[in-house]
Amino acid sequence: GNSVTQMEGPVTLSEEAFLTINCTYTATGYPSLFWYVQYPGEGLQLLLKATKADDKGSNKGFEATYRKETTSFHLEKGSVQVSDSAVYFCALRSTGGGNKLTFGTGTQLKVEL
Amino acid sequence: SAVISQKPSRDICQRGTSLTIQCQVDSQVTMMFWYRQQPGQSLTLIATANQGSEATYESGFVIDKFPISRPNLTFSTLTVSNMSPEDSSIYLCSVAPTVSTDTQYFGPGTRLTVL
């Protein structure tokens, strides 16, 4: 079946540091890949997505590249801010999966001054 | 995108009672989903609710415990029945406008505490 594996958190960084949150997946075919973000006390928001190999999703300074050869979709940001503190979820939607999403366990990011 | 609201935003309930959570969307959508997010954990899909058909439940979830209604293209309800403390979770509604839409949009969630 489908699965998503994320690096465990919490990840604690200083403001302006570089961020990488690793995400790898297992799925048949060519899934669509997503990063969702959950700010404290709020619901999930779509951060970015990529629908085919070598696509790069980007939003709010965050980027992730769909790597078919390594089955990965790592999230990166060059300079984090305190306001980026949240839980980040990697997810996939497999082809023929009835639009169902499979989520990773989430990675909590804490950014300090 | 779609704007989704959920009611209630939070509730504290007694063991053995039931709670119905409402999900309202500002536009017509084909697919609606209900997820559970237990404390400190990821999201688990409970069921898919399409208008005009019975909800499709994931492994480990049954209709008697989590009955779902989908009376039209903008509204759905999830009932958590005969609650126990293990049902304490955040319950999230999400939507996909069409079957082929690959992005889901999430509501703010309902935080349920069962005593």
Side-chain angles (χ1 to χ4, degrees):
Chain A
N2 299 331
S3 67
V4 177
T5 302
Q6 286 181 239
M7 61 188 289
E8 289 195 17
V11 173
T12 303
L13 295 174
S14 299
E15 202 169 43
E16 299 184 2
F18 184 85
L19 168 71
T20 299
I21 300 178
N22 290 338
C23 172
T24 57
Y25 67 89
T26 301
T28 55
Y30 296 88
S32 296
L33 301 173
F34 306 85
W35 278 101
Y36 281 86
V37 59
Q38 187 175 36
Y39 297 102
E42 300 184 15
L44 270 73
Q45 301 175 24
L46 177 66
L47 180 60
L48 54 84
K49 69 176 183 180
T51 57
K52 61 183 187 295
D54 300 325
D55 267 3
K56 177 184 286 188
S58 62
N59 186 25
K60 299 181 181 180
F62 291 89
E63 294 183 341
T65 301
Y66 189 142
R67 301 289 189 198
K68 180 71 175 174
E69 63 277 12
T70 55
T71 62
S72 65
F73 193 54
H74 304 322
L75 183 68
E76 297 181 336
K77 186 174 186 182
S79 175
V80 295
Q81 306 299 311
V82 172
S83 57
D84 294 325
S85 298
V87 180
Y88 293 82
F89 292 92
C90 186
L92 70 83
R93 173 184 179 260
S94 64
T95 54
N99 220 328
K100 291 189 289 189
L101 289 176
T102 301
F103 284 87
T105 53
T107 302
Q108 184 177 12
L109 170 65
K110 299 179 182 178
V111 182
E112 302 172 335
L113 290 172
Chain B
S1 65
V3 178
I4 304 158
S5 60
Q6 287 186 232
K7 290 182 181 180
S9 58
R10 58 177 64 225
D11 207 341
I12 300 173
C13 300
Q14 295 298 318
R15 180 196 299 262
T17 62
S18 297
L19 176 72
T20 295
I21 302 167
Q22 299 179 5
C23 178
Q24 179 75 53
V25 193
D26 69 342
S27 58
Q28 294 185 343
V29 295
T30 300
M31 306 189 77
M32 297 183 80
F33 306 87
W34 287 98
Y35 289 84
R36 181 174 72 182
Q37 185 180 20
Q38 293 178 303
Q41 299 189 25
S42 188
L43 283 77
T44 302
L45 180 63
I46 297 171
T48 302
N50 294 334
Q51 195 264 339
S53 62
E54 295 290 323
T56 303
Y57 289 83
E58 298 299 303
S59 176
F61 297 96
V62 295
I63 187 171
D64 289 348
K65 175 68 175 176
F66 297 102
I68 288 170
S69 78
R70 180 78 199 273
N72 58 51
L73 291 174
T74 63
F75 187 78
S76 178
T77 67
L78 169 76
T79 299
V80 186
S81 303
N82 188 25
M83 289 184 286
S84 67
E86 292 71 35
D87 294 319
S88 297
S89 291
I90 298 173
Y91 291 86
L92 294 129
C93 167
S94 75
V95 306
T98 68
V99 174
S100 59
T101 307
D102 60 6
T103 300
Q104 289 184 25
Y105 302 96
F106 284 80
T110 295
R111 184 179 295 271
L112 171 62
T113 302
V114 184
L115 303 177

